[in-house]
Amino acid sequence: MPQHLKYRGPWLVAVLVTLFLGVPWYWPEDRALEGWLVPAWVWITLGASVMLSVVVVWGALRGWPDEDEY
Amino acid sequence: MQGLPLGPWSLAFIAVYLLSILGIGWFARSRRRDDTLGDYYLGGRSMGLWVLMLTLFATQYSGNALFGFTGQAYRAGFTWLSIVHSMIAVVAGYLLFAPQLQRLSRAHQFVTPSDYITYRFPSKILGVLVVICLMIVLVNYVLAQLKVMGHVVEGLSGGRVDAVWGVILLAVIMLVYSTLGGLRSVAWTDAIQGAMMLTGFALIAVIVQRDLGGWMVAFMELREVAPQKLQPPAGRTAVTWFSTVILIGVGASVYPQAIQRIYAAASASTLQRSLAGMAVLPLFAVVVVLALGFVAIARYPGLEGSSADQVMVLIMRDVLATGVLGHVVVTLLLGAILAALMSTADSALLALSSIFAKDIYQEHLKPHAGDRECARAGQWLAWVVLGVLIWISTLEDLTLYRLFVLKFEILLQIAPAFYLGVNFPSLRSTPILMGLVAGLTTAVAGWSAGWMPLGLHPGTLGLMANVLTVLASHYFLRPPRPVMGLDGRLK
């Protein structure tokens, strides 16, 4: 595997995890859990979006490959 | 689009704005350094942080973002929250290939996306196929913007100006400034549009809270009027959600016009910081647009099909009625909407023009033509294509979202060439070509037959077929290793 992908492995895993968390496929069948103003799943999904954004910003600022890694 | 009762000041502001972007075109022309294609189509590869970030933002948030996203939020309810994830995923996608691509583009002076493809995968068939795909996508893209432009001008004038004349007016302005200044004028107008759009979103959020009953009340009404719109996705819908994230996240990251902005960045650090900013913007811009669509479900019930794309207009009409600040916000937003449509269309048109100039005219029609002549040929093509598209835009009858999806079905199939090409040096041309053919066949066949097995978009299915074919042919169709013959030579 190319060196720069090895270094960015944890970042890629974080992106995939937040993407999976953002889709409420895991939500229980009864769907009765309410949150403030909107159902709780909406807040969880928005929270995952915020996390994804943070992970991507981190990837851009800290995970940019050095020139000798190509 | 329904008419908005705009005052003379609002119309005057929009007229001044349209004239001022012509001035930007003249100014951009005066700043050109030479007559090379790189200077005209990539702004001399000197785009700074803010212009790059705002032009990337403006290119990706087009008429679809304002009308299509709110319309889809109205139709689909909260399951359309997937678009927030998707727009952030676009930036994650960039990070997987943009750093290497930007460096290569500097070293080899790439101008068009296919410059990279033909450099990395020297196959004529692949090069031609990619150029055809890019041109189809870009034509589709411009067409979608033209359709909305007509509706917007018709609405602005309260039906006094026909949609066709509206399209012609805006298209001529757009062509003049983009012909004058190339990517410089396009990027500068994009930056103004991006700033106007973000300001407009912030102000409309304040007005909904202050003058239209508030966000909390609106969401409480929504729960009573349409509780089914708050349901989480189940089964098939959840799969479609994943599919949407892949479709948009991967597809939008290889927009030809976005690839050219990667080439145009002044430095790696400029691109790096611009992408970091891009990852934050959807949390504000997309969330506000979606929230407006959700609020509209309770406020304007009964809209179906493509008429739901008009909810933004209905909201603006209510905002107008709130007083002076409402007029200011709607005027700003209308200016931003016009600019969004024009900037997206002009970026796509410029990319189309560059592909014709570099990949067709200079490559096949007139190999010894200089850059100036090629740019001129590209400009002529832009004028002709736009004329034809204006005519087509009066004939088609597709909703915005359907147009929006179609281009991703094709774009997605080009993505492996970028994503895998920059990261896996041993990958050869044949697997990429076979993958592209497999992906395109699956995606186009699926799209025309209306397949969505398990809730997956035809484009996502095509991408799966594409990547599997690339991997299979890479590992199983390796060229035979040279063996040493009895005479001591490699065979």
Side-chain angles (χ1 to χ4, degrees):
Chain A
M1 179 181 278
Q3 204 63 5
H4 67 272
L5 285 191
K6 267 188 200 163
Y7 291 143
R8 286 198 284 171
W11 174 77
L12 207 52
V13 170
V15 167
L16 292 174
V17 167
T18 45
L19 280 175
F20 273 84
L21 278 176
V23 182
W25 50 271
Y26 48 80
W27 203 249
E29 282 298 311
D30 61 7
R31 300 174 187 182
L33 191 54
E34 289 296 330
W36 176 74
L37 209 56
V38 285
W41 74 269
V42 173
W43 291 114
I44 295 171
T45 295
L46 284 173
S49 295
V50 174
M51 276 169 62
L52 178 62
S53 174
V54 170
V55 167
V56 173
V57 170
W58 175 74
L61 297 181
R62 300 282 171 203
W64 200 266
D66 293 330
E67 289 210 352
D68 56 1
E69 287 180 32
Y70 299 115
Chain B
M1 180 174 165
Q2 300 182 29
L4 284 170
L6 292 174
W9 287 108
S10 300
L11 293 172
F13 173 83
I14 289 165
V16 168
Y17 170 71
L18 291 175
L19 286 173
S20 69
I21 54 177
L22 288 175
I24 289 173
W26 277 111
F27 183 63
R29 185 182 166 81
S30 72
R31 297 292 298 269
R32 71 179 173 186
R33 295 172 190 166
D34 50 47
D35 283 331
T36 59
L37 290 175
D39 191 78
Y40 183 72
Y41 288 118
L42 301 178
R45 300 175 203 269
S46 60
M47 220 177 267
L49 170 67
W50 288 102
V51 173
L52 183 62
M53 188 169 74
L54 288 170
T55 189
L56 276 169
F57 172 74
T59 304
Q60 293 193 329
Y61 294 78
S62 59
N64 282 311
L66 293 151
F67 294 103
F69 287 4
T70 41
Q72 187 65 7
Y74 182 97
R75 280 188 292 266
F78 278 73
T79 55
W80 188 231
L81 275 175
S82 58
I83 194 67
V84 183
H85 246 55
S86 305
M87 298 312 276
I88 305 172
V90 175
V91 189
Y94 281 136
L95 292 179
L96 289 173
F97 69 91
Q100 296 95 321
L101 185 65
Q102 198 259 349
R103 185 171 167 270
L104 284 171
S105 76
R106 289 252 150 195
H108 302 283
Q109 298 293 300
F110 298 153
V111 175
T112 65
S114 34
D115 279 347
Y116 164 71
I117 304 278
T118 47
Y119 159 79
R120 175 64 183 82
F121 303 107
S123 153
K124 274 213 160 177
I125 304 174
L126 179 65
V128 170
L129 197 54
V130 167
V131 166
I132 293 171
C133 289
L134 292 178
M135 292 190 92
I136 292 172
V137 166
L138 289 167
V139 163
N140 185 338
Y141 209 111
V142 177
L143 183 62
Q145 306 307 312
L146 292 181
K147 279 188 75 71
V148 189
M149 274 184 198
H151 294 314
V152 170
V153 175
E154 203 173 23
L156 269 175
S157 63
R160 287 187 293 273
V161 177
D162 189 63
V164 178
W165 287 109
V167 173
I168 292 173
L169 171 76
L170 296 184
V172 168
I173 293 173
M174 190 176 82
L175 270 174
V176 169
Y177 73 73
S178 58
T179 303
L180 283 171
L183 187 65
R184 268 193 198 89
S185 53
V186 167
W188 290 346
T189 51
D190 279 0
I192 295 173
Q193 172 232 317
M196 278 168 70
M197 203 190 267
L198 289 171
T199 314
F201 287 161
L203 288 175
I204 205 165
V206 171
I207 285 197
V208 169
Q209 180 60 33
R210 203 190 71 168
D211 300 314
L212 296 182
W215 291 98
M216 278 180 67
V217 175
F219 278 102
M220 303 239 256
E221 279 174 8
L222 167 62
R223 292 181 78 132
E224 284 180 20
V225 173
Q228 75 280 7
K229 302 269 185 181
L230 290 116
Q231 289 295 317
R236 196 181 158 89
T237 319
V239 176
T240 304
W241 187 318
F242 276 116
S243 179
T244 307
V245 172
I246 293 170
L247 192 77
I248 297 176
V250 178
S253 66
V254 291
Y255 273 159
Q257 56 272 47
I259 298 276
Q260 287 187 306
R261 278 152 177 76
I262 292 172
Y263 296 169
S267 66
S269 131
T270 308
L271 180 63
Q272 184 184 6
R273 285 177 293 146
S274 297
L275 292 182
M278 279 281 291
V280 179
L281 288 177
L283 290 178
F284 168 68
V286 183
V287 169
V288 170
V289 168
L290 293 193
L292 289 172
F294 298 145
V295 165
I297 295 170
R299 202 172 175 92
Y300 318 104
L303 299 174
E304 285 176 11
S306 60
S307 60
D309 289 333
Q310 301 297 315
V311 292
M312 192 71 183
V313 182
L314 297 173
I315 292 168
M316 286 198 287
R317 184 180 275 202
D318 284 354
V319 170
L320 262 181
T322 60
V324 178
L325 183 61
H327 266 83
V328 171
V329 171
V330 170
T331 306
L332 201 62
L333 269 179
L334 279 173
I337 288 169
L338 282 179
L341 295 165
M342 290 166 77
S343 74
T344 308
D346 64 23
S347 301
L349 204 64
L350 200 70
L352 191 69
S353 159
S354 69
I355 288 170
F356 178 76
K358 184 90 189 338
D359 303 330
I360 297 178
Y361 192 79
Q362 200 170 45
E363 185 72 26
H364 299 287
L365 300 180
K366 219 169 169 187
H368 302 295
D371 279 7
R372 189 189 173 99
E373 185 186 335
C374 293
R376 188 75 65 197
Q379 289 162 356
W380 276 109
L381 176 97
W383 284 82
V384 172
V385 166
L386 205 60
V388 174
L389 290 182
I390 288 171
W391 172 68
I392 295 175
S393 73
T394 61
L395 306 176
E396 294 291 328
D397 187 26
L398 296 171
T399 66
L400 285 176
Y401 182 64
R402 193 158 167 75
L403 281 169
F404 184 57
V405 167
L406 177 61
K407 69 175 181 285
F408 283 118
E409 309 293 339
I410 298 173
L411 260 180
L412 260 187
Q413 311 316 322
I414 299 169
F418 286 95
Y419 279 71
L420 302 178
V422 297
N423 287 305
F424 297 95
S426 64
L427 195 61
R428 291 167 291 111
S429 311
T430 312
I432 287 290
L433 175 62
M434 291 173 72
L436 180 59
V437 172
L440 283 174
T441 311
T442 311
V444 174
W447 184 79
S448 29
W451 297 338
M452 283 249 329
L454 302 171
L456 290 168
H457 294 93
T460 312
L461 284 173
L463 183 67
M464 289 160 75
N466 188 336
V467 173
L468 286 175
T469 309
V470 170
L471 293 177
S473 46
H474 177 69
Y475 288 107
F476 296 117
L477 296 180
R478 282 177 185 274
R481 289 187 179 198
V483 289
M484 189 80 77
L486 290 173
D487 56 357
R489 291 182 181 166
L490 287 176
K491 290 184 179 173

